[in-house]
Amino acid sequence: MIIAAGGGRRIGGPEALLHQGEKPLVNQMIDTMTEAGCEQIVVVLGAAAEQVRETADLGGVTVVINKAWGTGVGSSIRAGLAAMDDKGIEAVVVVPVDMPGLTAVAVRRVAALPYPDVLVCATYDGLRGYPMLFGRRHWSGIATLASADVGARPYLLAHKDQIVDIACDSVADGSRVDTPALMEFYGLTVPPQRVEV
């Protein structure tokens, strides 16, 4: 699941519209998830969803529109989990679109044990981050507790003894692009929006 719904107030436009050169970052993330072996990819859009559809290649993925994207990442996680109605899916890897330093190796590392009762978090310098792996048995609890801009954190805090931490420092950059300085560092741009987001 790729969360790409935010308005990106701190970077001047929606995260899903970020480009690295000519390529939309959302397509880069789809490629990363595909290379990692994810069988089904759900992309949750929100801000500027129609413009994202026009500029990104979303063929072959399931697109979910979160109309409540302005309430924070929690609603996007809920929308994405609700779209996973295939009972054969036992776990889901969750990543935000604004991580240009994420690699397929890191996703594979976190997703190595895709069982229904797992909770896995990547760590960078000992701090938890994305990707995260949520086993199906946790989905309803995560959806219930997911809130505002802290997403799954309340559920993870309540189940911290069950989380498996997987160090990804050596195989990926866990930075999320949330400042103009990081945008410049990664060579990212946001195309002008035609409509208010």
Side-chain angles (χ1 to χ4, degrees):
M1 181 197 310
I2 301 169
I3 304 293
R9 289 183 302 274
R10 289 176 294 219
I11 59 170
E15 289 101 338
L17 288 176
L18 284 169
H19 277 59
Q20 196 163 41
E22 294 297 309
K23 187 168 189 175
L25 203 54
V26 68
N27 283 122
Q28 190 171 308
M29 193 62 75
I30 289 169
D31 291 347
T32 298
M33 300 291 270
T34 301
E35 185 185 338
C38 297
E39 294 174 19
Q40 178 186 351
I41 298 173
V42 171
V43 177
V44 183
L45 299 178
E50 284 312 308
Q51 192 171 348
V52 176
R53 282 183 185 270
E54 290 171 17
T55 57
D57 178 5
L58 300 173
V61 303
T62 301
V63 176
V64 176
I65 306 295
N66 174 18
K67 293 185 176 167
W69 63 267
T71 62
V73 71
S75 60
S76 293
I77 290 174
R78 279 195 298 278
L81 290 175
M84 303 219 177
D85 50 10
D86 179 348
K87 300 298 184 221
I89 299 172
E90 296 199 322
V92 60
V93 181
V94 179
V95 297
V97 75
D98 58 358
M99 278 183 73
L102 186 66
T103 63
V105 175
V107 175
R108 277 196 296 270
R109 207 176 257 197
V110 169
L113 301 170
Y115 300 124
D117 55 350
V118 299
L119 284 173
V120 182
C121 289
T123 64
Y124 304 90
D125 294 326
L127 299 175
R128 287 182 177 141
Y130 292 96
M132 296 179 181
L133 181 70
F134 302 150
R136 179 178 280 278
R137 289 186 192 144
H138 297 283
W139 293 2
S140 63
I142 289 169
T144 300
L145 292 181
S147 63
D149 275 333
V150 294
R153 196 177 306 156
Y155 187 87
L156 295 175
L157 284 172
H159 296 81
K160 60 181 182 289
D161 296 337
Q162 297 177 42
I163 298 173
V164 176
D165 290 324
I166 303 290
C168 290
D169 315 67
S170 62
V171 296
D173 178 348
S175 302
R176 295 189 59 191
V177 177
D178 57 4
T179 65
L182 278 173
M183 282 186 62
E184 186 177 350
F185 177 78
Y186 284 106
L188 300 174
T189 57
V190 179
Q193 285 92 67
R194 294 187 302 276
V195 293
E196 274 298 310
V197 294

